Amino acid sequence: IFFILIIRVGWIQLYRGVWLQEKAVDQWTRDLPVAPKRGMIMDRNGKVLAQSASAETVVLRPSQIEDAGKVADELSQILEMDRQTIYEKATDKTKSEIWLKRQVTKEQANAIRKLNLDGVHFTEDSKRYYPMKNFLTQVIGFTSVDGAGLEGIEKRYDKYLKGIPGKI
């Protein structure tokens, strides 16, 4: 029996070792994308017409959630989302991380933090602001929720404004 076990261990190490090592690395590591902050648009006098600021995104980690019903009840009230949708995402154990709602307000984020719910986390996101409100809106344009320029200067100079993404 000892000889058979030695042969089996040798076979696992020699023939399956590389595959098992790759599988272990996949289970224990992950790459998280880091979006760059979009550049500012200013007028000739240096007055800011468009800028990015930090916003928070609510993230669920279903494997850490013990009471999905409680999480769904609490978050549905604060985020003004459908309870059933949140419940389905909170119980989906096939995914390690699910983005629930992007660019929540500071008040919403603080209310969720006060609840101290297991499996509910935050990640930093970026949101575009236009301090001059409707001033030159057709010329400046706007961006998508992902920060891509869709119209006007935002679209024309997108490759300069968007920055270079990174990862952790």
Side-chain angles (χ1 to χ4, degrees):
I1 292 174
F2 184 71
F3 183 70
I4 291 171
L5 289 174
I6 294 289
I7 291 173
R8 179 71 177 159
V9 168
W11 180 81
I12 289 171
Q13 286 182 346
L14 295 175
Y15 292 103
R16 303 288 284 178
V18 174
W19 177 78
L20 287 171
Q21 187 176 14
E22 289 171 359
K23 190 170 181 149
V25 168
D26 283 345
Q27 287 179 350
W28 288 97
T29 61
R30 64 181 169 175
D31 288 336
L32 296 174
V34 177
K37 266 198 173 167
R38 192 167 177 83
M40 291 190 297
I41 298 175
M42 296 184 278
D43 68 6
R44 69 181 185 167
N45 298 320
K47 194 169 212 168
V48 177
L49 301 175
Q51 67 183 10
S52 292
S54 293
E56 294 187 273
T57 296
V58 180
V59 177
L60 296 180
R61 293 195 181 130
S63 62
Q64 298 174 356
I65 296 174
E66 293 179 17
D67 187 0
K70 178 183 175 189
V71 169
D73 289 338
E74 298 286 350
L75 292 181
S76 65
Q77 293 173 3
I78 295 171
L79 298 176
E80 299 170 358
M81 291 178 64
D82 179 47
R83 182 206 181 278
Q84 186 60 31
T85 303
I86 297 173
Y87 182 80
E88 288 170 5
K89 290 181 180 187
T91 56
D92 185 4
K93 305 281 184 188
T94 62
K95 297 179 181 139
S96 62
E97 192 172 270
I98 300 168
W99 286 26
L100 184 62
K101 187 168 183 181
R102 295 184 69 183
Q103 301 175 348
V104 297
T105 64
K106 288 187 186 235
E107 293 80 21
Q108 289 174 322
N110 290 336
I112 293 170
R113 279 194 181 91
K114 284 180 185 174
L115 296 173
N116 198 23
L117 298 169
D118 291 331
V120 179
H121 301 277
F122 295 91
T123 186
E124 192 171 319
D125 203 354
S126 184
K127 187 174 182 178
R128 199 70 167 159
Y129 290 99
Y130 301 94
M132 302 294 284
K133 304 289 183 217
N134 293 332
F135 181 69
L136 289 176
T137 54
Q138 285 80 14
V139 175
I140 296 170
F142 58 93
T143 61
S144 69
V145 90
D146 294 320
L150 297 177
E151 289 292 331
I153 292 172
E154 295 278 15
K155 183 176 180 181
R156 174 73 172 97
Y157 294 102
D158 190 53
K159 68 180 179 180
Y160 303 110
L161 292 170
K162 70 180 177 182
I164 300 169
K167 62 178 152 173
I168 297 173

